Amino acid sequence: MKIAFFTEAGYSGKVPRNNPNMRTDQAWVCALDATHYCIFNLEKVNYKYDLGIVIIPKENNREKLASLDYPLIKNIKNFCDKVFIMQESTQWDWQDESFASMAWFYNQLTEADKILCHNDIDKVYFSGISGNESDVLPTLMIEDEITKSTIKEDKVFVAGNWTPAYRGFDAWVIGSHFQLPMTGYKTGKFKEGEENNGINYLPWIVWKDFVFELSKHKYAVQCYPASAGQFPLNCAYLGVPCIGYNDINTQKNLFPDLSVERGDILTAIDLVNKLKSDNNFYEHCSTKAISLYQKEYSEKSFIKKTKLIFN
């Protein structure tokens, strides 16, 4: 099957396996041996594909396309037999935009042949609003360039900034109960003054260096209400127990003993205390996550699952 990916990223062509910044979207392109095109340069597409997968950009670039009433999916169908839309960000973020942008995005969803989603909760949502079949495209890591620290330090990595989409405040509250140094990283929605919360924020680094830094930590916390879930996936690969909300597939599937309902801070704090006081429980969560990662989220498993989805 010949596959093309269309995103707002400016590069064209394949993604090499030694790419040092192999985030999820590029890992998909790499593993599927797909060809990538920028959605703003569709005139460069001069080949026929069996399947096109489109990640529609969010915020300003989505508003830009909507303002032009740009027939994105219809245009991509000129050179792809089937077109799937891949979810970007939370299932609700587009409803914060203008009415014109919402209407345009909704029309693109209905014109696609299938919707690909991050999580089970997203699958039923997008199927319901679009009338199209939906499937979960598993989050993926390409492991070739990853190196791990040989020592785990007594500190906790707290993921997510203080916004509704990341719920970083929730993670900060939970992480504080470890009573250990906390590490974090910034996103584009980092608030002014947020660095005064006691978390040591890493500078911008490429993905493979981020994974190495994460591997130094003994514990992790994430409270995203919905996302691709790359952070819990990274933690599972490294054997770093991660407490988090069970909205995210990678969290609930890889850390079933450390996943709580959204907003259940009390149970999360109990899990903090158990991880710190019960070494057998800690080792159980760590080794179980590594095993589940290999079984459910390895590249081999990803290829097997996508063959079923695409067929």
Side-chain angles (χ1 to χ4, degrees), residues 30-287:
C30 179
L32 295 171
D33 193 30
T35 302
H36 179 272
Y37 297 94
C38 176
I39 61 172
F40 297 108
N41 296 314
L42 294 184
E43 69 276 3
K44 293 185 178 181
V45 183
N46 55 7
Y47 197 83
K48 189 74 172 177
Y49 293 92
D50 301 303
L51 173 63
I53 300 176
V54 188
I55 302 180
I56 296 178
K58 55 188 177 182
E59 299 173 342
N60 292 338
N61 277 336
R62 183 157 55 205
E63 290 274 9
K64 177 181 176 181
L65 291 166
S67 69
L68 300 171
D69 198 21
Y70 187 66
L72 180 62
I73 301 304
K74 288 181 179 178
N75 281 348
I76 291 176
K77 284 189 174 183
N78 289 329
F79 32 82
C80 295
D81 293 337
K82 296 287 184 181
V83 178
F84 296 172
I85 289 178
M86 177 64 219
Q87 176 186 356
E88 163 72 322
S89 188
T90 63
Q91 61 180 236
W92 63 82
D93 77 301
W94 56 288
Q95 297 185 37
D96 265 338
E97 297 171 8
S98 68
F99 175 80
S101 180
M102 288 179 61
W104 177 84
F105 182 69
Y106 175 72
N107 287 336
Q108 305 312 302
L109 292 176
T110 60
E111 291 169 5
D113 295 294
K114 181 179 281 193
I115 313 297
L116 300 176
C117 306
H118 294 313
N119 306 292
D120 295 334
I121 60 173
D122 302 316
K123 178 179 174 180
V124 293
Y125 175 79
F126 281 107
S127 284
I129 67 168
S130 70
N132 283 326
E133 182 182 357
S134 296
D135 273 307
V136 173
L137 184 66
T139 305
L140 175 67
M141 293 171 61
I142 302 294
E143 304 170 13
D144 299 31
E145 295 297 298
I146 295 176
T147 55
K148 308 176 190 178
S149 172
T150 56
I151 299 174
K152 280 188 169 56
E153 302 173 23
D154 232 13
K155 54 186 182 180
V156 54
F157 205 111
V158 179
N161 295 141
W162 291 22
T163 64
Y166 292 104
R167 298 292 282 266
F169 177 80
D170 297 14
W172 173 79
V173 170
I174 297 166
S176 297
H177 282 265
F178 280 102
Q179 297 183 318
L180 295 171
M182 291 186 288
T183 307
Y185 62 92
K186 298 181 180 181
T187 70
K189 295 185 178 181
F190 194 78
K191 293 182 178 178
E192 183 179 355
E194 194 173 322
E195 67 276 4
N196 298 321
N197 58 19
I199 296 174
N200 174 38
Y201 287 99
L202 298 174
W204 188 91
I205 49 179
V206 296
W207 177 76
K208 77 179 188 69
D209 293 338
F210 164 77
V211 175
F212 179 77
E213 290 298 321
L214 176 60
S215 73
K216 297 177 181 179
H217 293 71
K218 191 173 181 181
Y219 310 99
V221 181
Q222 68 80 23
C223 293
Y224 304 157
S227 75
Q230 189 182 59
F231 183 79
L233 184 70
N234 297 161
C235 289
Y237 171 80
L238 298 168
V240 177
C242 180
I243 297 171
Y245 292 162
N246 61 12
D247 291 350
I248 296 178
N249 279 21
T250 53
Q251 174 68 39
K252 71 176 182 179
N253 293 340
L254 295 170
F255 295 102
D257 303 300
L258 299 175
S259 299
V260 302
E261 295 291 328
R262 189 192 312 178
D264 189 353
I265 306 294
L266 288 175
T267 300
I269 292 171
D270 288 342
L271 290 170
V272 168
N273 296 328
K274 190 172 183 180
L275 279 175
K276 287 191 68 177
S277 63
D278 188 340
N279 189 60
N280 288 334
F281 180 66
Y282 178 94
E283 290 299 326
H284 163 77
C285 293
S286 175
T287 57

